[in-house]
Amino acid sequence: MNRLSLFCCCLLFSFSVHCQTWQLVTEPFPPYFIGEQHKPGWLHEVIIAALKTQNQKASIEYTQWARALKLAKRHRRVAVLGAYYTELRTRSFIYSQPLATAHTVLFKRAGSEITFTGSLYSLKPYTISKGEDYAVSPEFEQHPELTVTTTDSLIDSLLLLKHGRVDLVAGTKEVALYWLSNSERLQQAKQVEVEYITPTLATQNLHVISDKHHPQAKQFQRSLHLGLKAIVASGELEEILQSYEFTDEQTRQLTQLLSRNLR
């Protein structure tokens, strides 16, 4: 290859990198990823803004979580947004730095006499529902005496709970509380109050993950890392959080979480 041809190839590659649209996927996971045009979710907006600083665009598809993971594994999407860390997933995926924090708890019907002592063995008498391929905690997933069923989504699990078909639901507190207040399906279902119980099952960080063998995985993750660093430095991250009515303390905590991992 002569120098002119090599120069043209390099120029074409550089142009394609900066002009491409990354194909991303996640599940509706409010308030992080809401998926509505007028209010897409604060973490949705953070990721779009970060990539924009690198002159890159992104298209985010919303689907069921299990399907999102399959699309990434088949290299139909370059990344899945909002994944929790698990040892099993590290065999297939590379992880971004933590982008947010969430809390996994148990939900029950109000008035039901269920006691959770903090030991998973105290949950042995109950049937627990969770979303398919959702991560709760290593202890929860590996516990030999829990009765766990799966559904397509957290909303579906909460519907089972409302109708008395399961005793408990394991899910992200922030997301479940949003759905209980905003989902038409849940509001039209049997009028049963649902509440979460303590203690928390797990505190998780949210990441963006890419299949290790995707040819553009490392390039995408590098762009995201640089973009996040840019919006933290410019103050754009703070502007996005304030538009979602984050308090000063919440904004400070999230900024610190990102800043610790952007060096």
Side-chain angles (χ1 to χ4, degrees):
M1 181 181 291
N2 59 40
R3 291 183 178 180
L4 180 60
S5 298
L6 181 61
F7 173 77
C8 290
C9 287
C10 291
L11 186 63
L12 180 61
F13 176 76
S14 176
F15 179 80
S16 65
V17 167
H18 289 289
C19 293
Q20 74 181 105
T21 298
W22 296 113
Q23 302 296 317
L24 313 177
V25 65
T26 190
E27 179 182 65
F29 198 70
Y32 311 94
F33 302 102
I34 300 174
E36 298 175 2
Q37 187 172 2
H38 70 287
K39 192 178 182 182
W42 70 265
L43 196 47
H44 175 126
E45 292 200 37
V46 163
I47 290 168
I48 294 295
L51 293 171
K52 188 176 180 181
T53 68
Q54 306 304 301
N55 298 316
Q56 296 171 9
K57 298 179 181 180
S59 172
I60 301 178
E61 175 186 354
Y62 283 83
T63 186
Q64 293 172 349
W65 184 249
R67 180 173 179 268
L69 291 174
K70 289 175 184 175
L71 287 171
K73 289 178 180 178
R74 295 170 184 167
H75 298 181
R76 302 286 299 277
R77 302 292 182 270
V78 73
V80 182
L81 313 181
Y84 293 168
Y85 178 90
T86 71
E87 289 291 338
L88 180 61
R89 286 178 185 164
T90 60
R91 300 175 189 174
S92 303
F93 295 99
I94 56 176
Y95 277 70
S96 72
Q97 65 270 31
L99 304 185
T101 301
H103 303 88
T104 304
V105 298
L106 291 166
F107 284 84
K108 67 168 187 160
R109 292 181 298 279
S112 60
E113 295 186 6
I114 294 177
T115 301
F116 175 40
T117 65
S119 168
L120 293 178
Y121 283 98
S122 67
L123 302 176
K124 183 180 175 180
Y126 311 117
T127 299
I128 307 168
S129 180
K130 74 180 190 74
E132 184 181 1
D133 285 337
Y134 284 16
V136 176
S137 72
E139 296 76 18
F140 185 93
E141 267 94 45
Q142 297 165 14
H143 200 281
E145 298 190 39
L146 295 181
T147 302
V148 181
T149 65
T150 61
T151 63
D152 288 338
S153 70
L154 180 53
I155 290 177
D156 290 333
S157 290
L158 290 169
L159 283 170
L160 291 181
L161 181 64
K162 278 201 162 203
H163 289 291
R165 294 172 59 186
V166 296
D167 302 303
L168 295 165
V169 168
T172 303
K173 179 178 73 173
E174 294 84 351
V175 179
L177 292 176
Y178 181 96
W179 286 136
L180 288 167
S181 296
N182 294 280
S183 167
E184 289 186 13
R185 292 176 64 199
L186 287 171
Q187 291 176 350
Q188 292 171 1
K190 187 176 181 179
Q191 294 302 303
V192 175
E193 291 296 320
V194 171
E195 61 188 17
Y196 68 88
I197 59 180
T198 56
T200 298
L201 286 175
T203 298
Q204 305 274 15
N205 288 323
L206 276 67
H207 304 261
V208 175
I209 59 175
S210 300
D211 187 87
K212 288 181 177 180
H213 300 293
H214 192 293
Q216 295 176 303
K218 291 183 179 179
Q219 177 189 328
F220 167 77
Q221 291 286 347
R222 178 63 175 167
S223 294
L224 179 62
H225 179 87
L226 292 173
L228 291 168
K229 190 174 182 178
I231 65 171
V232 169
S234 69
E236 187 174 1
L237 171 65
E238 185 175 343
E239 292 177 8
I240 293 171
L241 297 178
Q242 288 177 345
S243 73
Y244 281 84
E245 299 182 353
F246 277 61
T247 65
D248 290 343
E249 178 61 19
Q250 290 172 324
T251 299
R252 184 188 64 80
Q253 290 177 355
L254 280 165
T255 302
Q256 286 184 345
L257 175 66
L258 281 173
S259 299
R260 281 197 301 269
N261 297 280
L262 288 174
R263 296 183 178 87

